[in-house]
Every structure is written in structure tokens, then in C-alpha cells.
Amino acid sequence: MISPTQLKDLLVVPGHIIEKDFSDALNEAKDTPIEEVLVDKGLIRDEQLGKLMAEAIGVPFIRLSETAIDQEIMRMIPEVV
């Protein structure tokens, strides 16, 4: 999980989005994750945000739509996930 402060450092400091847009999205994100608001407002692409967040927490980024997942593993994961 990345805090809004960490997310701001990931997006605003390197110039992916401007601070005002981030602040507006943060204010709008009361019951919705800020990441979702940023993508829905078109401030950043979902894939770009995913890559930045994955890099920040030190995990590889993969596109699940392009990755074959063993059906046995899929049965282990609850549908809600």
C-alpha cells in the first residue's frame, strides 16, 4: 500500500502530474482510492501508474491480460479478489 504522500512524491515530484491536479484528486477521493480518481480523471494512465507503484515498492509489474495463469492457481484465489 502506498500512502497519498508517497504517491504524491511518485507523481508530482518527477512531473508526471501537476500538484494542483493531485490535490484536487485527493480532495475528490473521499470514498474512492486516489489512484482510481487519478486514472478516471485522465491524469495518468492505469498502466503507467501501476508501473510507478510497482517500482516504488520493489515488485515486478506484469500485465495480467498478457500472462497465462494456471487454472489450478486461479481456483485457489477467492472470486472477490
Side-chain angles (χ1 to χ4, degrees):
M1 189 76 176
I2 295 179
S3 73
T5 303
Q6 292 170 309
L7 191 58
K8 181 178 178 180
D9 289 342
L10 280 175
L11 300 176
V12 175
V13 173
H16 297 290
I17 66 172
I18 62 171
E19 187 165 358
K20 176 162 183 0
D21 287 343
F22 184 87
S23 295
D24 290 347
L26 186 58
N27 289 332
E28 190 177 318
K30 299 296 180 205
D31 298 321
T32 306
I34 177 113
E35 297 87 351
E36 189 174 321
V37 174
L38 292 166
V39 171
D40 288 349
K41 292 176 74 75
L43 297 172
I44 192 163
R45 290 185 341 274
D46 186 46
E47 185 173 325
Q48 182 183 15
L49 180 59
K51 286 179 181 178
L52 290 168
M53 291 175 66
E55 184 178 305
I57 62 173
V59 298
F61 177 83
I62 61 167
R63 290 178 194 84
L64 290 176
S65 62
E66 298 174 2
T67 304
I69 300 173
D70 185 300
Q71 290 302 309
E72 190 62 34
I73 292 172
M74 291 297 289
R75 287 187 202 97
M76 295 174 162
I77 302 170
E79 185 176 343
V80 71
V81 174

